[in-house]
Amino acid sequence: MSALARTYRERSGNGKSYAVAAAVVAALLTSTACGAGTADRPDAARPSDRPNTATPAEPGSAAPAEAAPDDEPTAKAAAAAVFTNRVATFNVCNPCRSPLKPWTLSRHIKRITNEIALYRPQVIALQEICVRETKAVVKRLKAKGYKYHVAHGSVHTSSLRCHGSGNAYGNAILSAAPLTGKVNKRYTDGGSENRGYVSARTTIAGKKVRVFATHLAEKDQGAKRRQQVQELVIAVDKYPNAIVLGDFNAAPTYSQLDPMWARFRDADPNCTDLRSGNPCKATMGKDSSKERKKFDYIFLRVDGRYSASGVGVHPNFSDHDLVHADLQVR
């Protein structure tokens, strides 16, 4: 019996009134059922859990409807599928919260969670994140209906960086599929602070693959980045289909990235041939040079099984845009 019918029954003084009310309710329900469109079916708006081969969203475009960045869901969301061929990278801007403003920690975690839930990647690499923050994000994602496995890649110990969230700080990989064979490596020389990579085996577009997430030295530390790239390529060379995600703190034309370009292409097709004159899509805000640059990459092996037709670059609360690509198996 529907709630509306029960209400009529409680308010009616006799069986006749109830009978009339029940008939009215039945008529309303029949009318609603006959007039229901595709949007009324619960599964109609739910994304397929099969590989999504559609062109990635353009910068600033809206993916599935979500609450405002700082809003929490009012109730536990129904489980929904991620895009099983979607990968992403996101520098979450550790300085975007303040030890002098404790409430910014909770807001920071909400913002990260909502960005991931908005684009629903199979795998996402996070930079500038603490272990406790990662755990809190995964917990909130689960409450929204998304289950992610984690490979922590902390390379720095800093209670200042992680104020309110312990002191283990660095990178992380979140994956909707299980993560195995986890490796966390600190570069020999991180520069002004420790840097490194984390890697693990997982599944993307139905295929097993090893994913690396990294963050290289910042600003004018080109020599440090060059050494870090050399250490990174030694690690990835043994994996013919490896995917490398992260913030390289280097524009595509910087010579430090030459060893990467010898083995990889970016998911952004404009970055395939740097001599073509087509600009790579910028992924971060203005720095000291007063211009936006591409520092965030989704690197695919040149002769590997994965390809991409483009990237989505999405501005948000961070100084880096979230970058995603929908991969195809070649």
Side-chain angles (χ1 to χ4, degrees), residues 68-275:
D70 292 341
D71 288 348
E72 279 291 276
T74 56
K76 184 174 180 180
V82 300
F83 292 93
T84 58
N85 65 328
R86 178 167 292 178
V87 297
T89 185
F90 187 26
N91 182 318
V92 300
C93 183
N94 176 268
C96 287
R97 59 189 184 89
S98 169
L100 302 178
K101 301 176 181 178
W103 64 88
T104 61
L105 171 58
S106 177
R107 183 183 67 179
H108 191 60
I109 291 170
K110 291 177 186 177
R111 285 173 165 178
I112 297 169
T113 302
N114 285 332
E115 288 297 318
I116 296 173
L118 186 60
Y119 299 106
R120 295 175 294 166
Q122 173 80 351
V123 170
I124 185 168
L126 302 177
Q127 301 89 45
E128 296 190 12
I129 195 163
C130 302
V131 168
R132 287 188 189 174
E133 288 177 326
T134 306
K135 290 180 177 179
V137 167
V138 169
K139 183 177 180 179
R140 289 181 181 274
L141 285 168
K142 186 176 181 180
K144 284 176 172 283
Y146 306 98
K147 181 179 179 180
Y148 280 94
H149 303 266
V150 185
H152 297 290
S154 295
V155 293
H156 194 54
T157 300
S158 172
S159 56
L160 179 62
R161 286 281 193 173
C162 296
H163 44 84
S165 294
N167 59 13
Y169 170 80
N171 308 302
I173 298 173
L174 271 59
S175 173
L179 291 162
T180 59
K182 300 175 186 178
V183 175
N184 184 31
K185 178 71 174 179
R186 182 183 296 177
Y187 292 126
T188 302
D189 188 345
S192 57
E193 72 174 31
N194 292 330
R195 295 291 167 93
Y197 66 81
V198 58
S199 76
R201 291 189 299 270
T202 188
T203 302
I204 298 174
K207 301 293 183 180
K208 296 291 185 181
V209 63
R210 179 163 284 271
V211 175
F212 289 76
T214 192
H215 189 192
L216 303 190
E218 63 178 347
K219 296 183 179 178
D220 58 353
Q221 302 175 84
K224 306 298 183 185
R225 287 193 296 272
R226 189 183 306 277
Q227 180 179 340
Q228 291 164 6
V229 168
Q230 292 291 350
E231 294 181 28
L232 179 62
V233 297
I234 290 173
V236 302
D237 270 349
K238 64 180 74 172
Y239 304 105
N241 295 298
I243 297 173
V244 182
L245 309 167
D247 173 8
F248 280 71
N249 273 311
T253 55
Y254 289 13
S255 62
Q256 307 117 50
L257 295 186
D258 287 350
M260 293 299 297
W261 291 120
R263 298 161 172 81
F264 292 87
R265 64 189 185 286
D266 190 74
D268 181 352
N270 287 331
C271 285
T272 300
D273 185 353
L274 301 181
R275 297 165 297 179

